[in-house]
Amino acid sequence: MPKEIFPSSFECDCGHQSDFSENTVRDMKAMSQKKKVYLADSAPEEHTIVFYRGKMVEIQCPKQPSSRETKKSAPKKRATPRGIPDEVKTDVAAIVEHFNTAVIRNPLCVYVPRYKGKYLYLDRRDYGRLSPICRLEYTGNMQKWSFAIYKYSDEQYDAEEWFFPGAEHVDGTIEGAMKAGLEAYPA
């Protein structure tokens, strides 16, 4: 029987131990009050801890077959797309154009999207000068883009940097990223 060893460690029947931060486990238990929540470890043979109604109810082990119920309710793994689909690029263009006209309202200061693979780069043209602001990674969901701010100090995008003016606007949306960019780098 799988068991919780510490407030943040779990042991599978096969003997594998999965360790997480206590805050992560506490958040997962809280989110599991109304639906099953899955937390995967990063071991080469990935184990997934299943929480429901605030408790660990199962450990999905790659060495053991999953129960029928778990197979039905397990989240489907989706591969991250290699590139951003054309229809998403069309939506992005409309969102950026709307933000430029409704929020910035200065034709000499506008966001300009560019693409490379699965990344959307939001640059800003301020009075003729084009400057990098942030990079978003397409995850397959228009409401859940991964964010990285451009740091002029080392001239690279940093997904780990969250201590900058406007960070509170980053919410997975393109609009949130543009609002954060306006505060981080005022026009």
Side-chain angles (χ1 to χ4, degrees):
M1 184 74 179
K3 60 184 173 191
E4 186 170 353
I5 303 172
F6 303 109
S8 61
S9 296
F10 303 88
E11 185 176 50
C12 180
D13 291 337
C14 73
H16 175 83
Q17 185 172 322
S18 298
D19 301 301
F20 305 95
S21 78
E22 288 186 29
N23 287 340
T24 299
V25 172
R26 185 179 27 231
D27 291 347
M28 296 303 283
K29 286 180 176 180
M31 289 189 310
S32 73
Q33 292 300 325
K34 294 182 180 176
K35 65 179 182 175
K36 283 189 179 179
V37 178
Y38 301 84
L39 177 62
D41 66 20
S42 59
E45 292 183 336
E46 183 178 88
H47 283 68
T48 302
I49 316 303
V50 182
F51 296 94
Y52 186 57
R53 295 193 178 164
K55 296 180 184 175
M56 184 270 299
V57 294
E58 180 184 6
I59 296 179
Q60 295 175 351
C61 176
K63 297 175 185 174
Q64 300 171 351
S66 298
S67 67
R68 275 190 25 224
E69 171 142 343
T70 300
K71 283 182 184 175
K72 283 194 288 184
S73 64
K76 306 290 183 257
K77 291 188 178 181
R78 285 189 284 165
T80 303
R82 291 183 170 241
I84 299 173
D86 289 337
E87 59 271 13
V88 172
K89 290 179 181 179
T90 302
D91 292 343
V92 168
I95 292 167
V96 171
E97 179 63 29
H98 180 263
F99 190 88
N100 287 338
T101 56
V103 176
I104 297 178
R105 293 186 279 188
N106 179 352
L108 299 175
C109 174
V110 294
Y111 275 102
V112 179
R114 65 183 164 90
Y115 305 92
K116 185 172 183 180
K118 62 183 177 179
Y119 295 108
L120 160 63
Y121 294 86
L122 290 173
D123 301 329
R124 207 172 56 227
R125 182 173 290 119
D126 294 323
Y127 300 93
R129 182 172 181 216
L130 193 62
S131 304
I133 302 295
C134 62
R135 179 188 72 201
L136 303 178
E137 181 180 351
Y138 184 60
T139 63
N141 182 333
M142 284 293 286
Q143 302 302 312
K144 294 184 180 175
W145 295 78
S146 296
F147 178 88
I149 190 78
Y150 186 80
K151 289 175 57 177
Y152 283 88
S153 58
D154 50 9
E155 297 183 343
Q156 61 185 351
Y157 294 92
D158 189 348
E160 302 299 316
E161 179 63 54
W162 289 101
F163 190 70
F164 62 89
E168 70 276 6
H169 296 295
V170 177
D171 60 1
T173 66
I174 295 169
E175 296 91 339
M178 290 188 289
K179 286 178 186 176
L182 275 177
E183 268 191 57
Y185 301 115

